């Protein structure tokens, strides 16, 4: 049994019981909704990787607004100094009494969480755990956490898209790469019991260690909730809303939390082009996937994606499907990322499945993924003409936002033979017009398609669906 202490005594600023007492004494004043100031980010980084990965953090970090730190294993060298103002401030983890380097690495997440807890003020409601290559969409994250009672024990995250990863670790574990959120009472309880937990699971690392410790404390992962349920019902009912749970997306107006671990390799454009009707909160593992936009580096791609996120985060990657009946075309819009034009009419339930342009994290026997996919083929009737996001213009007077998408490769797709007279080869760009401040709780949207500008530009107008409208 380990008897040494790894951390100094905790300096709690307040307790969950004190919060409850304060709330009951001030029944006349309602608690303000959760905002960005109530979140504290614990980003576990390294001096070895920060130079190449800061480009994934700075696009979403808001200096003097976002709270948190990058926790480093040692002081940054001259190559990292002076520390950029647009980066989160850094903290060097304090030395622990463990001498074994392997075990020091094991507890770095707990060390960082402990040091963060001692720095926060009484307004902190949530601790968000992440890697130094995690891309967050802050507005969506805040909106998601607002639906949970921060005075209760919550551990909110998402498992992996890869069946192998979940089988090796756990299907019920929140992956730190995609990020997960811990309510203040959860962190308080976890840190009080951390010594015993580390001793019990010596040699177990990071996310798995957190998962096991929290499970032993009776705090299970919350992955999926629907906004139509009241808070008491949220705690009772669990739905299977993994990365792509299409049945749930159809039945619920708003599937709340989607953290993207991205345990995949290669070209993930197929995945990002078939996003369910749910808010994008995070993306991860940019260093092991191809740049998500053609002819751009990974970090250029991240900056490009954030252009639309700054306009309307609630819409980012939301899939809208409609049809151009005159040409027998199907159009799938992944807002702010891509548009797919198919030279045939394909049902919505089929187009919601992502094209398997990517490779699995490990080459294992099927089932490989926790979601359904479509195979990439050479059939021009089943493969899309691809257009990627190019620019965005917001008209605040009209409450409209217009995004433009340029074709990936001009004339690369042969015509669909049964539909040869309605080939999409001449389309070079797509214009998508939508209302700003999209509300996720209002269900899926529909759209109308028309040709403009001598048939070289396709225009798509996103709108509310008509009553009983059939998307097929």
């Amino acid at each position: 049994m380990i008897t040494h202490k790894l951390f100094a005594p905790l300096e709690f600023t307040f307790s969950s019981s004190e919060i409850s007492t304060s709330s009951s004494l001030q029944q006349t004043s309602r608690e303000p909704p959760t905002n960005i100031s109530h979140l504290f980010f614990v980003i576990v980084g390294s001096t070895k990787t920060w130079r190449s990965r800061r480009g994934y953090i700075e696009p979403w970090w808001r200096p003097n607004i976002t709270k948190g730190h990058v926790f480093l294993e040692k002081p940054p060298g001259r190559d990292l100094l002076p520390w950029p103002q647009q980066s989160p401030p850094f903290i060097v983890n304090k030395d622990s009494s463990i001498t074994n380097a392997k075990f020091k690495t094991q507890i770095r997440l707990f060390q960082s969480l402990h040091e963060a807890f001692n720095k926060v003020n009484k307004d902190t409601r949530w601790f968000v755990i992440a890697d130094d290559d995690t891309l967050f969409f802050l507005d969506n994250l805040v909106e998601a956490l607002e639906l949970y009672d921060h005075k209760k024990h919550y551990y909110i995250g998402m498992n992996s898209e890869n069946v192998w990863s979940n089988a090796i670790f756990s299907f019920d574990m929140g992956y730190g790469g995609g990020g997960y959120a811990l309510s203040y009472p959860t962190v308080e309880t976890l840190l009080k019991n951390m010594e015993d937990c580390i001793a019990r699971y010596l040699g177990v690392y990071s996310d798995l260690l957190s998962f096991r410790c929290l499970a032993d404390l009776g705090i299970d992962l919350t992955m999926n909730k629907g906004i139509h349920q009241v808070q008491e019902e949220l705690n009772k009912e669990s739905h299977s809303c993994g990365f792509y749970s299409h049945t749930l997306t159809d039945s619920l107006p708003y599937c709340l939390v989607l953290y993207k671990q991205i345990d995949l390799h290669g070209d993930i454009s197929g995945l990002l082009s078939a996003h369910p009707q749910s808010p994008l909160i995070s993306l991860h593992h940019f260093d092991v996937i191809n740049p998500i936009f053609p002819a751009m580096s990974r970090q250029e791609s991240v900056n490009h994606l954030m252009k639309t996120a700054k306009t309307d985060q609630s819409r980012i990657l939301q899939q809208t499907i409609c049809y151009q009946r005159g040409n027998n075309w199907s159009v799938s819009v992944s807002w702010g990322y891509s548009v797919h034009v198919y030279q045939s009419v394909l049902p919505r339930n089929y187009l919601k499945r992502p094209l398997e342009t990517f490779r699995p994290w490990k080459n294992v026997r099927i089932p490989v993924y926790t979601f359904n996919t479509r195979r990439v083929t050479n059939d021009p009737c089943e493969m899309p003409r691809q257009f990627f996001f190019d620019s965005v213009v917001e008209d605040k007077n009209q409450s409209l936002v217009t995004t433009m998408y340029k074709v990936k490769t001009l004339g690369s797709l042969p015509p669909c033979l049964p539909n040869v007279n309605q080939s999409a080869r001449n389309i070079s760009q797509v214009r998508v017009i939508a209302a700003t401040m999209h509300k996720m709780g209002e269900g899926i949207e529909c759209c109308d398609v028309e040709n403009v500008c001598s048939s070289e530009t396709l225009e798509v107008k996103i709108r509310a669906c008509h009553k009983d409208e059939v998307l097929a």
Side-chain angles (χ1 to χ4, degrees):
M1 183 68 177
I2 295 180
T3 57
H4 60 257
K5 292 294 181 182
L6 307 179
F7 307 103
L10 297 178
E11 299 174 2
F12 297 123
T13 56
F14 70 109
S15 68
S16 57
S17 60
E18 290 172 336
I19 301 175
S20 301
T21 302
S22 175
S23 299
S24 62
L25 291 176
Q26 300 178 12
Q27 295 178 358
T28 55
S29 60
R30 295 190 63 182
E31 187 177 57
T34 296
N35 59 54
I36 191 65
S37 69
H38 297 128
L39 277 57
F40 194 93
F41 287 84
V42 181
I43 303 169
V44 183
S46 168
T47 55
K48 297 178 181 178
T49 60
W50 183 248
R51 174 177 288 278
S52 61
R53 291 186 172 184
R54 53 176 280 204
Y56 304 136
I57 302 295
E58 291 174 354
W60 62 265
W61 186 262
R62 301 172 186 176
N64 302 317
I65 297 176
T66 320
K67 297 179 181 179
H69 295 282
V70 175
F71 290 85
L72 302 175
E73 81 287 5
K74 63 180 181 180
R78 292 181 178 178
D79 60 323
L80 298 178
L81 297 175
W83 194 259
Q85 291 185 347
Q86 62 269 32
S87 293
F90 72 86
I91 287 181
V92 179
N93 286 131
K94 298 176 182 178
D95 286 334
S96 71
S97 55
I98 285 185
T99 57
N100 187 306
K102 175 181 177 181
F103 295 151
K104 279 188 175 182
T105 302
Q106 170 202 352
I107 66 166
R108 271 202 67 212
L109 172 58
F110 275 10
Q111 273 188 293
S112 302
L113 188 59
H114 176 273
E115 292 166 18
F117 189 86
N118 282 335
K119 286 185 174 295
V120 301
N121 58 36
K122 63 180 181 179
D123 294 327
T124 300
R125 299 179 181 181
W126 297 94
F127 292 83
V128 182
I129 315 300
D131 286 352
D132 57 0
D133 61 343
T134 305
L135 179 68
F136 278 107
F137 298 86
L138 294 180
D139 295 342
N140 290 344
L141 175 60
V142 170
E143 184 177 350
L145 294 179
E146 164 60 16
L147 298 178
Y148 297 95
D149 187 349
H150 64 91
K151 290 173 285 189
K152 296 182 179 180
H153 289 91
Y154 272 111
Y155 163 38
I156 303 173
M158 186 56 66
N159 57 15
S160 173
E161 304 85 14
N162 194 295
V163 171
W164 178 88
S165 298
N166 292 326
I168 293 296
F169 298 104
S170 175
F171 283 86
D172 300 319
M173 182 184 84
Y175 282 68
Y180 55 86
L182 304 176
S183 62
Y184 188 100
T186 296
V187 175
E188 185 178 43
T189 300
L190 179 63
L191 294 180
K192 286 180 180 178
N193 295 275
M194 188 181 299
E195 296 285 349
D196 291 339
C197 182
I198 291 176
R200 188 160 59 248
Y201 296 115
L202 196 62
V204 176
Y205 280 77
S206 189
D207 304 333
L208 184 57
L209 180 61
S210 298
F211 159 69
R212 290 184 177 181
C213 293
L214 290 168
D216 292 350
L217 293 168
I219 305 171
D220 295 328
L221 181 69
T222 298
M223 287 194 291
N224 40 63
K225 307 298 172 186
I227 198 171
H228 66 295
Q229 296 169 305
V230 298
Q231 189 64 42
E232 287 74 12
E233 291 174 333
L234 290 178
N235 294 332
K236 295 176 183 177
E237 187 170 354
S238 176
H239 296 282
S240 177
C241 179
F243 189 37
Y244 279 90
S245 180
H246 299 308
T247 303
L248 181 63
T249 304
D250 289 340
S251 61
L252 295 182
Y254 182 29
C255 181
L256 178 60
V257 180
L258 277 182
Y259 296 85
K260 308 297 187 290
Q261 174 68 10
I262 309 294
D263 279 342
L264 305 168
H265 286 291
D267 175 12
I268 67 167
S269 64
L271 191 65
L272 300 183
S273 297
H275 191 281
Q277 191 75 10
S278 44
L280 177 66
I281 290 179
S282 68
L283 293 170
H284 181 231
H285 274 158
F286 284 97
D287 284 342
V288 298
I289 59 174
N290 297 348
I292 60 176
F293 286 103
M296 292 186 185
S297 68
R298 291 181 175 90
Q299 294 190 2
E300 287 172 340
S301 292
V302 168
N303 291 331
H304 195 53
L305 182 66
M306 293 303 290
K307 290 178 182 178
T308 49
K310 292 176 181 178
T311 304
D312 189 353
Q313 281 197 14
S314 67
R315 280 195 184 278
I316 191 78
L317 295 194
Q318 298 308 299
Q319 187 184 27
T320 305
I321 297 169
C322 50
Y323 302 91
Q324 225 275 359
R325 299 293 180 182
N327 292 328
N328 289 328
W329 291 347
S330 304
V331 178
S332 175
V333 177
S334 176
W335 193 87
Y337 179 64
S338 70
V339 175
H340 285 182
V341 177
Y342 295 83
Q343 301 175 121
S344 59
V345 174
L346 301 170
R348 180 174 180 269
N349 67 80
Y350 180 76
L351 295 178
K352 286 172 60 179
R353 296 184 178 188
L355 280 167
E356 197 173 332
T357 57
F358 41 85
R359 304 189 309 275
W361 192 257
K362 293 283 186 179
N363 291 320
V364 295
R365 291 184 297 178
I366 59 174
V368 178
Y369 309 112
T370 58
F371 54 92
N372 296 319
T373 63
R374 288 181 285 143
R375 294 289 185 181
V376 174
T377 73
N378 294 322
D379 187 345
C381 298
E382 293 190 7
M383 294 301 293
R385 187 166 177 78
Q386 299 179 69
F387 303 79
F388 287 92
F389 167 69
D390 180 67
S391 61
V392 58
V393 176
E394 182 178 8
D395 184 344
K396 294 184 178 180
N397 293 328
Q398 299 291 327
S399 296
L400 294 175
V401 58
T402 300
T403 46
M404 295 295 296
Y405 304 78
K406 296 291 184 67
V407 68
K408 179 179 180 180
T409 306
L410 192 63
S412 61
L413 188 68
C416 172
L417 292 180
N419 200 25
V420 66
N421 292 328
Q422 287 80 34
S423 170
R425 289 171 62 91
N426 292 331
I427 302 297
S428 60
Q429 61 182 2
V430 179
R431 177 186 298 121
V432 177
I433 302 173
T436 54
M437 298 309 295
H438 173 230
K439 299 298 182 183
M440 293 298 304
E442 297 175 355
I444 68 169
E445 291 183 304
C446 296
C447 53
D448 297 315
V449 186
E450 60 184 44
N451 287 89
V452 295
C453 299
S454 302
S455 299
E456 294 181 359
T457 300
L458 200 68
E459 185 169 278
V460 179
K461 294 182 179 179
I462 297 178
R463 57 169 173 80
C465 294
H466 303 310
K467 183 179 180 181
D468 300 326
E469 184 170 357
V470 177
L471 302 179

